[in-house]
Amino acid sequence: MVRAAVLPAVGAPLEITGIELPEPGPGQVRVRLAAAGVCHSDLSLSDGTMRVPVPAVLGHEGAGTVVSVGEGVTHVSPGAGVVLNWAPSCGRCHACSLGEVWLCADALTGAGTVYARRTDGTDLYPGLNVAAFAEETVVPAACVLPVPDGVPLTDAALLGCAVLTGYGAVHHSAKVQPGETVAVFGVGGVGLATLQAARIAGASKIVAVDVSPEKESLARRAGATDYLVASENTAREIRKLTDKQGVDVAVECVGRAVTIRTAWDSTRRGGRTTVVGIGGKDQQVVFNALEIFHWGRTLSGCVYGNSDPAKDLPVLAEHVRAGRLDLGALVTERIALDGIPAAFDNMLAGKGGRALVVF
């Protein structure tokens, strides 16, 4: 029996309750969580923007210690620190054959498999594969990666989503080059990671944009050289900051039509706009054919930072060890399991960076 945050139905409040967790079967690993980040994707699952089977235990950004392993698991052993990988690649589908493991067709297969039960016998599903909003979880072996040396276990939770996504958006999707200018829309956990990644990439000017004036200090600590409170004049203000050209790269971390459109408008002719935020089907972005031709911009989606966690975690760890990447700077609140509903409310209100559940 372990405590977990259960989503009983789409749109229903989370319930902090005991669940019955089985021992790991063949090819599975049981992990005791050290920490789990509260990501906007968890909120999107709870409100139905993204669909998964329910009732479910949410949480997909986490790290912890291996408690036990099932038959056939050899790459980790009890006592090892691991990062949870919520989107493991199958290695067999068309996307994987192209090396685009972040688009794996089977990445979320595990989310549709019962993994635990409530005390009344009700089946439970593991949110985005890993069910990190719990004291312990049982996951497929492909969902755990060893924590790199030199990264504290609690901080390592942030590597599982926010940092891989933000770093990958800059280095894999937008491919920011030294000296280029960058605008980042949304200063939450992913946005803060994106700002740090732009600084690491050597961007000459990094403009952070958010609806909250209170986030300016967070943004500047992460690497922003300029800060703008979002308004209908945001694109014009960004052009003023860049010799009337617009930025080379805009990264949208919000998932709203108006923000995506503003990010596009803020990008120079021939520049790149990368969309990281996950929006609902009702968020329609409109362009006319002439402007697409005239501006010559590239607009691209970005899934999980277009990252391969197995390859990227060691790179991120080296940045952490060298002091270039500050994981703690992403966290604005450390909470207990029962603090997750309030963390959801803060996200909806646009407050803070990453809330981190510490067990």
Side-chain angles (χ1 to χ4, degrees), residues 4-7 14 31 33-47 50-52 56-64 82-88 107-108 110-111 115 125-140 142-145 154-166 189-190 276-278 302-305 309 313 337 340 344 347 354-357 359:
V6 175
L7 177 69
L14 289 181
V31 178
L33 273 297
V38 182
C39 180
H40 203 280
S41 296
D42 298 309
L43 183 60
S44 296
L45 293 172
S46 71
D47 66 17
M50 298 169 62
R51 291 284 184 172
V52 292
V57 174
L58 301 184
H60 62 280
E61 180 183 89
V82 293
V83 176
L84 298 180
N85 174 17
W86 63 269
L108 294 179
Y115 93 112
Y125 297 91
L128 288 177
N129 281 329
V130 297
F133 287 167
E135 294 170 330
E136 295 187 11
T137 188
V138 173
V139 299
C143 288
V144 296
L145 295 167
T154 300
D155 290 349
L158 301 163
L159 297 176
C161 183
V163 178
L164 276 170
T165 300
V190 173
V276 175
I278 301 173
C302 180
V303 178
Y304 204 6
L313 283 183
L337 197 62
I340 296 174
F344 278 0
M347 276 194 288
R354 191 55 116 222
L356 190 67
V357 181
F359 295 91

Side-chain angles (χ1 to χ4, degrees), residues 252-321:
E252 199 273 357
C253 303
V254 181
R256 295 183 63 230
V258 65
T259 318
I260 294 170
R261 178 70 221 202
T262 303
W264 165 271
D265 290 338
S266 302
T267 308
R268 68 166 173 82
R269 196 175 187 189
R272 291 102 69 199
T273 304
T274 293
V275 179
V276 175
I278 301 173
K281 294 179 180 179
D282 61 325
Q283 295 293 312
Q284 299 291 317
V285 188
V286 179
F287 307 92
N288 67 61
L290 181 60
E291 70 174 313
I292 292 174
F293 161 78
H294 173 76
W295 289 104
R297 296 164 174 150
T298 300
L299 176 68
S300 61
C302 180
V303 178
Y304 204 6
N306 293 9
S307 294
D308 181 343
K311 294 180 179 178
D312 288 334
L313 283 183
V315 175
L316 294 173
E318 180 54 36
H319 286 308
V320 173
R321 289 191 292 265

